[in-house]
Amino acid sequence: GRQVAGIGGQFDFVLGASRAPGGVSIIALPSTGRGGAVSRIVPRLAPGAAVTTPRYLVDWIVTEHGAVRLRGLGAKERAAALLTVAHPRFVEELARRATS
């Protein structure tokens, strides 16, 4: 539960991309971690998790399963959109947890 290092340049990069004339912020990541054992698309962050990029700055999320625009979406719409780029093995559980 303790952050060891300070933030790097990600926040500044995302902020600049989001605020540039005609710019958008794009977060590209693999849909899974730990050799495919866990989803990197999650319904909630763990208590104490460090957040580098606040959700209001994320315009697009891209995984190997596609790209989804999040800008302007509410919480429920964002959750539904993120399911479209999650690994198919985790979609059912993520959808269930998002609605509970």
Side-chain angles (χ1 to χ4, degrees):
R2 173 184 115 179
Q3 186 173 347
V4 176
I7 62 170
Q10 181 177 335
F11 177 83
D12 294 328
F13 182 78
V14 171
L15 178 64
S18 179
R19 299 296 190 247
V24 295
S25 65
I26 301 169
I27 304 295
L29 69 154
S31 64
T32 64
R34 297 187 197 148
V38 298
S39 177
R40 296 193 67 196
I41 306 292
V42 296
R44 288 176 186 76
L45 295 176
V51 175
T52 300
T53 303
R55 65 180 159 199
Y56 70 88
L57 288 179
V58 179
D59 296 322
W60 286 87
I61 295 286
V62 179
T63 73
E64 69 275 22
H65 300 289
V68 64
R69 184 175 181 179
L70 299 179
R71 179 184 275 184
L73 299 181
K76 288 182 181 181
E77 293 91 1
R78 291 170 73 87
L82 286 168
L83 290 175
T84 69
V85 295
H87 192 286
R89 181 178 26 191
F90 298 103
V91 169
E92 186 177 320
E93 179 183 342
L94 288 169
R96 183 180 53 75
R97 290 180 62 197
T99 58
S100 56

